[in-house]
Amino acid sequence: MFEEQVRPLIVAKAGGAVLRSRVLRIASMSESDVEQAVAPVYTAFKNPRTTILGAPGQVELHLTATGASPEAGEERLEALAAAIRATLPGRVYSEDGRELPEVVAALLVERRLSLALAESCTGGLLAARLTEVPGASAFLERAYVTYADSAKSELLGVSPAVIEESGAVSERVARAMAEGARLRARADLAVAITGIAGPDGGTPQKPVGLVFTAIEGAGIDRVRRAHFLGNRERVRFQATQAALEMLRRGLLGLPPL
Amino acid sequence: MFEEQVRPLIVAKAGGAVLRSRVLRIASMSESDVEQAVAPVYTAFKNPRTTILGAPGQVELHLTATGASPEAGEERLEALAAAIRATLPGRVYSEDGRELPEVVAALLVERRLSLALAESCTGGLLAARLTEVPGASAFLERAYVTYADSAKSELLGVSPAVIEESGAVSERVARAMAEGARLRARADLAVAITGIAGPDGGTPQKPVGLVFTAIEGAGIDRVRRAHFLGNRERVRFQATQAALEMLRRGLLGLPPL
């Protein structure tokens, strides 16, 4: 958490040759799915070499090329990066060292869009990750952590009848939370998350790890049901990561996950 | 972030002797202050041995004792732990592996107190840390992330005149945020944080790292001005850690930090 961020551009001399490296980041896709898709691509390259690093909610492809000059190294990196991008269209969210919250924040600032958040099971983690980015006040005026049903109704105007009928963890409630947050914050768009982080609270119909995410506003209207595996911490982190990736794809007009 | 928690009770055989260990955790105190206070105590003990581990917002004392039996080892650990507790009264928040959010959550549940949160510079990180604890819904119904002045006024009822006069980063606004959060959430008590996380936004009078924290309700009425060092991430984390430690001390009737 407190490591200094390492920028991916490394230049080193190795026996007259120059080493260049680049990290391609992909969110909300499993390591095995990424590997299956890109292995035929990167194994065809002797230079750069590629290492895959999996983390919850994220996969990193570390590319390292050698070249006679920095430009030659960069050219090789770009050749493989382009092939990977073509294999997984729209999935690489960063090649410049930035993490997903930074990329999403930059998109919002660039488009001058304001964002409101409504979080249930993630309990403020999405807001915390987005406000970790310096200058987040340019797009975030407020966030609602509506843990209890009463908070969802009072703060976001979610109808108690809807909660009663569909359950707090449902597509309808996720949609209503997003709409309520957007309207009450007078924001351009809103993201809402409701789910079951565990370890308790799961049922056969709604197991631990079930999370609904809704995005509404600025021409985006998307909702997603996902089932994340792992403990409470992992479920919550993956839920925020998926919400950020959904938002990135929505802002860029990419098809839903 | 995703490491499995290691419980501090380790039993191992070393040449017929038994090893026992315990971790004493102290929040919101620098490693050098802790070392200065406890070094005369622990250096007087040949067994257990003590290692100090510093992290932002937290210091850990790792005690390892050898004994002829588990009981003998525990007795030695307890002798040193008692001496350390006496040297830093009320400062050791955990000896059983629990982190600060878990300790505070347990106190709230035990006393059947409900908590509301109002966060500005920490942007939801305090809510996220407290809701990481399973069962947090027993005490947390909602949290407000009021990043902008407008959100502080609309959601918490902080008077725009007070913000104008004292500034959003001030003791008065911290107090008003806590009071507003407690009343509007109908909670027993509330914690509010307002500060300058940086890297921008600092002035000579109100530098980056300046944070006001207020606690109000359940017989507690405390406010604290602190200046945290480090980058945005460190300032924010330390602010949540200090708020949790303030809350723990308030709940236990210990003097303010």
Side-chain angles (χ1 to χ4, degrees), chain A residues 126-164:
Chain A
L126 181 57
R129 292 189 68 202
L130 273 170
T131 58
E132 196 68 59
V133 182
S137 57
F139 59 86
L140 193 82
E141 187 245 0
R142 70 177 70 173
Y144 301 90
V145 178
T146 54
Y147 222 50
D149 292 352
S150 50
K152 291 177 184 71
S153 297
E154 283 179 37
L155 292 179
L156 303 172
V158 181
S159 146
V162 168
I163 297 175
E164 175 72 27

Side-chain angles (χ1 to χ4, degrees), chain B residues 14-113:
Chain B
V18 174
L19 278 179
R20 305 287 287 181
S21 72
R22 195 186 290 190
V23 178
L24 275 56
R25 294 201 163 111
I26 295 167
S28 291
M29 198 170 167
S30 75
E31 190 177 347
S32 58
D33 286 351
V34 172
E35 179 131 33
Q36 207 173 342
V38 302
V41 177
Y42 72 72
T43 50
F45 283 70
K46 283 271 180 297
N47 178 15
R49 282 176 295 111
T50 302
T51 310
I52 298 198
L53 241 81
Q58 181 153 307
V59 179
E60 293 181 357
L61 298 165
H62 291 245
L63 280 50
T64 309
T66 55
S69 67
E71 294 72 25
E74 280 300 320
E75 220 168 89
R76 285 181 180 278
L77 285 178
E78 182 52 33
L80 176 51
I84 290 170
R85 268 182 245 126
T87 307
L88 292 170
R91 293 305 307 249
V92 176
Y93 75 76
S94 148
E95 302 188 20
D96 58 4
R98 289 185 300 164
E99 293 286 351
L100 191 52
E102 296 174 81
V103 169
V104 170
L107 282 174
L108 290 166
V109 170
E110 197 181 289
R111 287 154 199 236
R112 297 170 193 274
L113 291 171

Side-chain angles (χ1 to χ4, degrees), chain A residues 22-237:
Chain A
R22 194 186 292 190
V23 178
L24 276 55
R25 295 201 163 112
I26 294 168
S28 290
M29 199 172 166
S30 75
E31 190 178 345
S32 57
D33 286 352
V34 172
E35 179 132 32
Q36 207 172 343
V38 302
V41 178
Y42 72 73
T43 50
F45 284 72
K46 283 271 180 300
N47 178 14
R49 282 176 296 112
T50 302
T51 310
I52 298 197
L53 242 81
Q58 181 152 307
V59 178
E60 293 181 356
L61 299 165
H62 290 244
L63 279 50
T64 310
T66 55
S69 67
E71 294 71 27
E74 280 300 320
E75 222 169 87
R76 286 181 179 277
L77 284 179
E78 183 50 34
L80 176 51
I84 290 170
R85 267 182 245 125
T87 307
L88 292 170
R91 293 306 308 249
V92 175
Y93 75 76
S94 148
E95 302 188 19
D96 59 3
R98 288 185 302 164
E99 293 286 350
L100 191 52
E102 295 173 82
V103 169
V104 170
L107 281 173
L108 290 166
V109 170
E110 198 180 289
R111 287 154 198 236
R112 297 170 194 272
L113 290 172
S114 61
L115 176 71
L117 303 173
E119 300 185 57
S120 187
C121 64
T122 48
L125 188 60
L126 181 57
R129 292 189 68 202
L130 273 170
T131 58
E132 196 68 59
V133 182
S137 57
F139 59 86
L140 193 82
E141 187 245 0
R142 70 177 70 173
Y144 301 90
V145 178
T146 54
Y147 222 50
D149 292 352
S150 50
K152 291 177 184 71
S153 297
E154 283 179 37
L155 292 179
L156 303 172
V158 181
S159 146
V162 168
I163 297 175
E164 175 72 27
E165 280 166 35
S166 302
V169 179
S170 63
E171 184 178 318
R172 280 177 81 194
V173 168
R175 281 188 188 279
M177 285 170 67
E179 196 192 359
R182 183 179 62 78
L183 292 173
R184 297 197 174 198
R186 296 178 305 279
D188 294 314
L189 77 170
V191 177
I193 302 178
T194 180
I196 300 158
D200 302 318
T203 65
Q205 285 72 40
K206 295 190 177 179
V208 167
L210 177 68
V211 175
F212 291 89
T213 310
I215 305 184
E216 209 252 319
I220 308 171
D221 182 5
R222 297 185 179 187
V223 64
R224 180 169 179 249
R225 176 198 175 104
H227 186 200
F228 301 110
L229 301 178
N231 64 13
R232 182 176 178 90
E233 195 174 7
R234 277 180 187 250
V235 167
R236 283 160 44 104
F237 183 82

Side-chain angles (χ1 to χ4, degrees), chain B residues 119-207:
Chain B
E119 301 186 57
S120 188
C121 63
T122 49
L125 187 60
L126 180 57
R129 293 189 67 201
L130 273 170
T131 59
E132 196 67 60
V133 182
S137 56
F139 60 87
L140 193 84
E141 188 246 1
R142 71 178 70 172
Y144 301 90
V145 179
T146 54
Y147 222 50
D149 293 352
S150 51
K152 292 177 184 71
S153 297
E154 282 180 39
L155 293 179
L156 303 172
V158 181
S159 146
V162 168
I163 297 175
E164 175 72 29
E165 281 166 35
S166 303
V169 178
S170 63
E171 183 178 319
R172 279 176 82 194
V173 168
R175 280 188 188 278
M177 286 170 67
E179 195 192 0
R182 183 179 63 78
L183 292 173
R184 296 197 175 198
R186 297 177 305 280
D188 293 315
L189 76 170
V191 176
I193 302 178
T194 180
I196 301 157
D200 303 318
T203 64
Q205 285 72 41
K206 296 190 176 178

